[in-house]
Amino acid sequence: MEQEPSQEGDKPGEEAREHYQCVAERMSRCSTPCSNRGKTPPAGFGLDWEDGALDLDLEWPGDEDMTESEQEDARRMVAQLSDSGVRLLAIDNDLTLISIHTGGSWSGSASELAAQARPIFKIVIEEAIARGIYVAIVTFSSQPELISEMLTHFLDPSVDTSDIVVHGGLNDVTSGIDGQEVQSAHEVRSRYQGTGKQEHIACSVEELEKRHNTRIEPCDVLMIDDDVKNLEEAKRRGIRCALFDPMQPLGMLELVRSCLHASGTNQTSCCVEGSSQAGDKSTA
């Protein structure tokens, strides 16, 4: 018998919260100065946040422009999503949509944050919207409003970013519209119950169902995240999943294709084999 969802909504769980906070602390030295200005660096890093990542001379994988061939390959992958019945893309933020981990404490502008977003997701999100696939950003970051604004700088001006739903929050889910705490309705939560980011996804699904007078089942959702724990929980609930490796962004294309191929006979398949290292060091 399935566990009855709680009236308060399922929380990420203590393990998920600790993991997010641990990764944020470890990765914060790789953020731009904007995300850490005025803060004390973690012990042993020996960095001045005013200099920040500029001193590290970091070149993050996936930050470089994509070739025309790579862009076309990404568009073909999105076309395959549509053909395979994917109706909602649920995308993680830190270390996935963007190449850094903000820890939910970005103090720079939305346009500065947009400069950290990965080119591959510009192609994927814009193509998904053009094909009628809904897009949600689901993150443990406590700055969903900032992420919503960031999307307006990141995506082409012709894209209506108001239809991209954003939900964040580590302890309680908050809306990217007004930053207010939200909870999914009992009926939706019963379909998407669980820990991890299940309540984030449930809130996104509920908002989209109301806007578009539709129904989105777990098997209609593809979740892309760099934390295998979030994906394994989603998989148990019937969501299709693909592990994102922050060090190999373009590898996502083949992982998604493998996931879609496997889901031809099993809608709950989850492609998390791509890199165990990614799941060990990232969540958002």
Side-chain angles (χ1 to χ4, degrees), residues 153-177:
H153 297 279
F154 175 49
L155 301 174
D156 190 88
S158 64
V159 176
D160 182 6
T161 57
S162 66
D163 206 35
I164 300 175
V165 295
V166 180
H167 285 98
L170 190 55
N171 295 304
D172 297 294
V173 178
T174 53
S175 169
I177 297 175

PDB file of all heavy atoms in Angstrom, residues 153-177:
ATOM      1  N   HIS A 153      17.022  37.120 -18.805  1.00  0.00           N
ATOM      2  CA  HIS A 153      18.294  37.587 -19.363  1.00  0.00           C
ATOM      3  C   HIS A 153      18.988  36.486 -20.165  1.00  0.00           C
ATOM      4  O   HIS A 153      19.733  36.769 -21.111  1.00  0.00           O
ATOM      5  CB  HIS A 153      19.228  38.047 -18.244  1.00  0.00           C
ATOM      6  CG  HIS A 153      18.715  39.225 -17.473  1.00  0.00           C
ATOM      7  ND1 HIS A 153      18.836  40.528 -17.922  1.00  0.00           N
ATOM      8  CD2 HIS A 153      18.060  39.286 -16.284  1.00  0.00           C
ATOM      9  CE1 HIS A 153      18.297  41.347 -17.038  1.00  0.00           C
ATOM     10  NE2 HIS A 153      17.808  40.625 -16.033  1.00  0.00           N
ATOM     11  N   PHE A 154      18.742  35.249 -19.771  1.00  0.00           N
ATOM     12  CA  PHE A 154      19.426  34.110 -20.371  1.00  0.00           C
ATOM     13  C   PHE A 154      18.819  33.701 -21.713  1.00  0.00           C
ATOM     14  O   PHE A 154      19.537  33.411 -22.673  1.00  0.00           O
ATOM     15  CB  PHE A 154      19.378  32.935 -19.389  1.00  0.00           C
ATOM     16  CG  PHE A 154      19.940  31.645 -19.901  1.00  0.00           C
ATOM     17  CD1 PHE A 154      21.185  31.595 -20.521  1.00  0.00           C
ATOM     18  CD2 PHE A 154      19.225  30.462 -19.763  1.00  0.00           C
ATOM     19  CE1 PHE A 154      21.709  30.391 -20.984  1.00  0.00           C
ATOM     20  CE2 PHE A 154      19.739  29.262 -20.220  1.00  0.00           C
ATOM     21  CZ  PHE A 154      20.983  29.225 -20.830  1.00  0.00           C
ATOM     22  N   LEU A 155      17.495  33.681 -21.791  1.00  0.00           N
ATOM     23  CA  LEU A 155      16.817  33.194 -22.986  1.00  0.00           C
ATOM     24  C   LEU A 155      16.552  34.322 -23.975  1.00  0.00           C
ATOM     25  O   LEU A 155      16.603  35.502 -23.624  1.00  0.00           O
ATOM     26  CB  LEU A 155      15.511  32.511 -22.594  1.00  0.00           C
ATOM     27  CG  LEU A 155      15.647  31.318 -21.636  1.00  0.00           C
ATOM     28  CD1 LEU A 155      14.286  30.819 -21.205  1.00  0.00           C
ATOM     29  CD2 LEU A 155      16.472  30.197 -22.276  1.00  0.00           C
ATOM     30  N   ASP A 156      16.248  33.939 -25.210  1.00  0.00           N
ATOM     31  CA  ASP A 156      15.959  34.916 -26.256  1.00  0.00           C
ATOM     32  C   ASP A 156      14.753  35.770 -25.848  1.00  0.00           C
ATOM     33  O   ASP A 156      13.796  35.266 -25.253  1.00  0.00           O
ATOM     34  CB  ASP A 156      15.661  34.185 -27.572  1.00  0.00           C
ATOM     35  CG  ASP A 156      15.586  35.141 -28.751  1.00  0.00           C
ATOM     36  OD1 ASP A 156      16.630  35.412 -29.357  1.00  0.00           O
ATOM     37  OD2 ASP A 156      14.464  35.619 -29.040  1.00  0.00           O
ATOM     38  N   PRO A 157      14.788  37.075 -26.165  1.00  0.00           N
ATOM     39  CA  PRO A 157      13.671  37.962 -25.793  1.00  0.00           C
ATOM     40  C   PRO A 157      12.321  37.513 -26.334  1.00  0.00           C
ATOM     41  O   PRO A 157      11.273  37.891 -25.785  1.00  0.00           O
ATOM     42  CB  PRO A 157      14.091  39.309 -26.392  1.00  0.00           C
ATOM     43  CG  PRO A 157      15.580  39.254 -26.476  1.00  0.00           C
ATOM     44  CD  PRO A 157      15.902  37.818 -26.781  1.00  0.00           C
ATOM     45  N   SER A 158      12.332  36.718 -27.399  1.00  0.00           N
ATOM     46  CA  SER A 158      11.063  36.250 -27.973  1.00  0.00           C
ATOM     47  C   SER A 158      10.406  35.164 -27.115  1.00  0.00           C
ATOM     48  O   SER A 158       9.229  34.832 -27.320  1.00  0.00           O
ATOM     49  CB  SER A 158      11.297  35.708 -29.382  1.00  0.00           C
ATOM     50  OG  SER A 158      12.146  34.569 -29.354  1.00  0.00           O
ATOM     51  N   VAL A 159      11.138  34.589 -26.170  1.00  0.00           N
ATOM     52  CA  VAL A 159      10.610  33.510 -25.328  1.00  0.00           C
ATOM     53  C   VAL A 159       9.811  34.104 -24.172  1.00  0.00           C
ATOM     54  O   VAL A 159      10.280  34.992 -23.468  1.00  0.00           O
ATOM     55  CB  VAL A 159      11.752  32.633 -24.776  1.00  0.00           C
ATOM     56  CG1 VAL A 159      11.209  31.583 -23.818  1.00  0.00           C
ATOM     57  CG2 VAL A 159      12.514  31.971 -25.921  1.00  0.00           C
ATOM     58  N   ASP A 160       8.599  33.608 -23.982  1.00  0.00           N
ATOM     59  CA  ASP A 160       7.765  34.040 -22.865  1.00  0.00           C
ATOM     60  C   ASP A 160       8.176  33.262 -21.615  1.00  0.00           C
ATOM     61  O   ASP A 160       7.693  32.162 -21.359  1.00  0.00           O
ATOM     62  CB  ASP A 160       6.285  33.804 -23.182  1.00  0.00           C
ATOM     63  CG  ASP A 160       5.365  34.292 -22.067  1.00  0.00           C
ATOM     64  OD1 ASP A 160       5.872  34.911 -21.112  1.00  0.00           O
ATOM     65  OD2 ASP A 160       4.145  34.043 -22.153  1.00  0.00           O
ATOM     66  N   THR A 161       9.077  33.840 -20.836  1.00  0.00           N
ATOM     67  CA  THR A 161       9.592  33.137 -19.664  1.00  0.00           C
ATOM     68  C   THR A 161       8.564  33.052 -18.530  1.00  0.00           C
ATOM     69  O   THR A 161       8.767  32.295 -17.577  1.00  0.00           O
ATOM     70  CB  THR A 161      10.855  33.826 -19.136  1.00  0.00           C
ATOM     71  OG1 THR A 161      10.559  35.197 -18.831  1.00  0.00           O
ATOM     72  CG2 THR A 161      11.967  33.781 -20.179  1.00  0.00           C
ATOM     73  N   SER A 162       7.483  33.794 -18.627  1.00  0.00           N
ATOM     74  CA  SER A 162       6.472  33.743 -17.562  1.00  0.00           C
ATOM     75  C   SER A 162       5.800  32.374 -17.500  1.00  0.00           C
ATOM     76  O   SER A 162       5.179  32.032 -16.483  1.00  0.00           O
ATOM     77  CB  SER A 162       5.413  34.827 -17.769  1.00  0.00           C
ATOM     78  OG  SER A 162       4.654  34.573 -18.944  1.00  0.00           O
ATOM     79  N   ASP A 163       5.906  31.586 -18.553  1.00  0.00           N
ATOM     80  CA  ASP A 163       5.291  30.262 -18.552  1.00  0.00           C
ATOM     81  C   ASP A 163       6.249  29.189 -18.058  1.00  0.00           C
ATOM     82  O   ASP A 163       5.899  28.015 -18.005  1.00  0.00           O
ATOM     83  CB  ASP A 163       4.781  29.903 -19.950  1.00  0.00           C
ATOM     84  CG  ASP A 163       3.630  28.903 -19.880  1.00  0.00           C
ATOM     85  OD1 ASP A 163       2.828  28.993 -18.927  1.00  0.00           O
ATOM     86  OD2 ASP A 163       3.546  28.021 -20.752  1.00  0.00           O
ATOM     87  N   ILE A 164       7.490  29.581 -17.712  1.00  0.00           N
ATOM     88  CA  ILE A 164       8.429  28.648 -17.092  1.00  0.00           C
ATOM     89  C   ILE A 164       8.227  28.750 -15.589  1.00  0.00           C
ATOM     90  O   ILE A 164       8.411  29.817 -15.001  1.00  0.00           O
ATOM     91  CB  ILE A 164       9.881  28.990 -17.457  1.00  0.00           C
ATOM     92  CG1 ILE A 164      10.096  28.932 -18.969  1.00  0.00           C
ATOM     93  CG2 ILE A 164      10.845  28.019 -16.753  1.00  0.00           C
ATOM     94  CD1 ILE A 164      11.481  29.369 -19.406  1.00  0.00           C
ATOM     95  N   VAL A 165       7.835  27.667 -14.952  1.00  0.00           N
ATOM     96  CA  VAL A 165       7.579  27.719 -13.517  1.00  0.00           C
ATOM     97  C   VAL A 165       8.869  27.402 -12.763  1.00  0.00           C
ATOM     98  O   VAL A 165       9.647  26.527 -13.165  1.00  0.00           O
ATOM     99  CB  VAL A 165       6.444  26.766 -13.095  1.00  0.00           C
ATOM    100  CG1 VAL A 165       5.132  27.196 -13.712  1.00  0.00           C
ATOM    101  CG2 VAL A 165       6.761  25.333 -13.499  1.00  0.00           C
ATOM    102  N   VAL A 166       9.083  28.134 -11.691  1.00  0.00           N
ATOM    103  CA  VAL A 166      10.272  27.956 -10.864  1.00  0.00           C
ATOM    104  C   VAL A 166       9.837  27.737  -9.426  1.00  0.00           C
ATOM    105  O   VAL A 166       9.048  28.510  -8.875  1.00  0.00           O
ATOM    106  CB  VAL A 166      11.209  29.183 -10.940  1.00  0.00           C
ATOM    107  CG1 VAL A 166      12.443  28.959 -10.073  1.00  0.00           C
ATOM    108  CG2 VAL A 166      11.605  29.481 -12.384  1.00  0.00           C
ATOM    109  N   HIS A 167      10.338  26.667  -8.820  1.00  0.00           N
ATOM    110  CA  HIS A 167      10.071  26.418  -7.407  1.00  0.00           C
ATOM    111  C   HIS A 167      11.381  26.071  -6.715  1.00  0.00           C
ATOM    112  O   HIS A 167      12.160  25.249  -7.206  1.00  0.00           O
ATOM    113  CB  HIS A 167       9.053  25.296  -7.217  1.00  0.00           C
ATOM    114  CG  HIS A 167       7.651  25.719  -7.529  1.00  0.00           C
ATOM    115  ND1 HIS A 167       7.048  25.463  -8.749  1.00  0.00           N
ATOM    116  CD2 HIS A 167       6.745  26.423  -6.802  1.00  0.00           C
ATOM    117  CE1 HIS A 167       5.828  25.977  -8.753  1.00  0.00           C
ATOM    118  NE2 HIS A 167       5.618  26.565  -7.583  1.00  0.00           N
ATOM    119  N   GLY A 168      11.627  26.732  -5.589  1.00  0.00           N
ATOM    120  CA  GLY A 168      12.848  26.516  -4.832  1.00  0.00           C
ATOM    121  C   GLY A 168      12.542  26.254  -3.372  1.00  0.00           C
ATOM    122  O   GLY A 168      11.392  26.096  -2.967  1.00  0.00           O
ATOM    123  N   GLY A 169      13.603  26.236  -2.576  1.00  0.00           N
ATOM    124  CA  GLY A 169      13.437  26.051  -1.144  1.00  0.00           C
ATOM    125  C   GLY A 169      14.026  24.755  -0.654  1.00  0.00           C
ATOM    126  O   GLY A 169      13.867  23.707  -1.283  1.00  0.00           O
ATOM    127  N   LEU A 170      14.722  24.840   0.488  1.00  0.00           N
ATOM    128  CA  LEU A 170      15.376  23.666   1.054  1.00  0.00           C
ATOM    129  C   LEU A 170      14.502  22.987   2.105  1.00  0.00           C
ATOM    130  O   LEU A 170      14.476  21.769   2.197  1.00  0.00           O
ATOM    131  CB  LEU A 170      16.715  24.076   1.675  1.00  0.00           C
ATOM    132  CG  LEU A 170      17.655  22.964   2.121  1.00  0.00           C
ATOM    133  CD1 LEU A 170      17.935  22.001   0.970  1.00  0.00           C
ATOM    134  CD2 LEU A 170      18.952  23.554   2.651  1.00  0.00           C
ATOM    135  N   ASN A 171      13.802  23.775   2.898  1.00  0.00           N
ATOM    136  CA  ASN A 171      12.925  23.214   3.932  1.00  0.00           C
ATOM    137  C   ASN A 171      11.461  23.248   3.507  1.00  0.00           C
ATOM    138  O   ASN A 171      10.716  22.313   3.751  1.00  0.00           O
ATOM    139  CB  ASN A 171      13.115  23.979   5.242  1.00  0.00           C
ATOM    140  CG  ASN A 171      14.515  23.805   5.807  1.00  0.00           C
ATOM    141  OD1 ASN A 171      14.962  22.692   6.025  1.00  0.00           O
ATOM    142  ND2 ASN A 171      15.213  24.908   6.013  1.00  0.00           N
ATOM    143  N   ASP A 172      11.061  24.344   2.881  1.00  0.00           N
ATOM    144  CA  ASP A 172       9.698  24.481   2.360  1.00  0.00           C
ATOM    145  C   ASP A 172       9.798  24.995   0.921  1.00  0.00           C
ATOM    146  O   ASP A 172      10.727  25.719   0.579  1.00  0.00           O
ATOM    147  CB  ASP A 172       8.888  25.462   3.208  1.00  0.00           C
ATOM    148  CG  ASP A 172       8.715  24.975   4.638  1.00  0.00           C
ATOM    149  OD1 ASP A 172       8.043  23.943   4.839  1.00  0.00           O
ATOM    150  OD2 ASP A 172       9.280  25.619   5.545  1.00  0.00           O
ATOM    151  N   VAL A 173       8.845  24.622   0.102  1.00  0.00           N
ATOM    152  CA  VAL A 173       8.859  25.020  -1.301  1.00  0.00           C
ATOM    153  C   VAL A 173       8.348  26.448  -1.436  1.00  0.00           C
ATOM    154  O   VAL A 173       7.321  26.809  -0.858  1.00  0.00           O
ATOM    155  CB  VAL A 173       8.001  24.065  -2.152  1.00  0.00           C
ATOM    156  CG1 VAL A 173       7.980  24.518  -3.611  1.00  0.00           C
ATOM    157  CG2 VAL A 173       8.543  22.639  -2.049  1.00  0.00           C
ATOM    158  N   THR A 174       9.076  27.258  -2.202  1.00  0.00           N
ATOM    159  CA  THR A 174       8.676  28.644  -2.432  1.00  0.00           C
ATOM    160  C   THR A 174       8.547  28.907  -3.928  1.00  0.00           C
ATOM    161  O   THR A 174       9.218  28.288  -4.750  1.00  0.00           O
ATOM    162  CB  THR A 174       9.688  29.630  -1.821  1.00  0.00           C
ATOM    163  OG1 THR A 174      11.010  29.308  -2.293  1.00  0.00           O
ATOM    164  CG2 THR A 174       9.684  29.545  -0.305  1.00  0.00           C
ATOM    165  N   SER A 175       7.685  29.851  -4.259  1.00  0.00           N
ATOM    166  CA  SER A 175       7.350  30.151  -5.649  1.00  0.00           C
ATOM    167  C   SER A 175       8.324  31.153  -6.251  1.00  0.00           C
ATOM    168  O   SER A 175       8.757  32.102  -5.593  1.00  0.00           O
ATOM    169  CB  SER A 175       5.934  30.704  -5.732  1.00  0.00           C
ATOM    170  OG  SER A 175       5.666  31.241  -7.011  1.00  0.00           O
ATOM    171  N   GLY A 176       8.626  30.960  -7.534  1.00  0.00           N
ATOM    172  CA  GLY A 176       9.453  31.903  -8.267  1.00  0.00           C
ATOM    173  C   GLY A 176       8.697  33.143  -8.681  1.00  0.00           C
ATOM    174  O   GLY A 176       9.290  34.092  -9.205  1.00  0.00           O
ATOM    175  N   ILE A 177       7.394  33.174  -8.447  1.00  0.00           N
ATOM    176  CA  ILE A 177       6.584  34.342  -8.798  1.00  0.00           C
ATOM    177  C   ILE A 177       6.706  35.428  -7.742  1.00  0.00           C
ATOM    178  O   ILE A 177       6.970  36.588  -8.037  1.00  0.00           O
ATOM    179  CB  ILE A 177       5.107  33.945  -8.999  1.00  0.00           C
ATOM    180  CG1 ILE A 177       4.973  32.968 -10.171  1.00  0.00           C
ATOM    181  CG2 ILE A 177       4.253  35.191  -9.219  1.00  0.00           C
ATOM    182  CD1 ILE A 177       3.562  32.447 -10.361  1.00  0.00           C
TER     183      ILE A 177
END
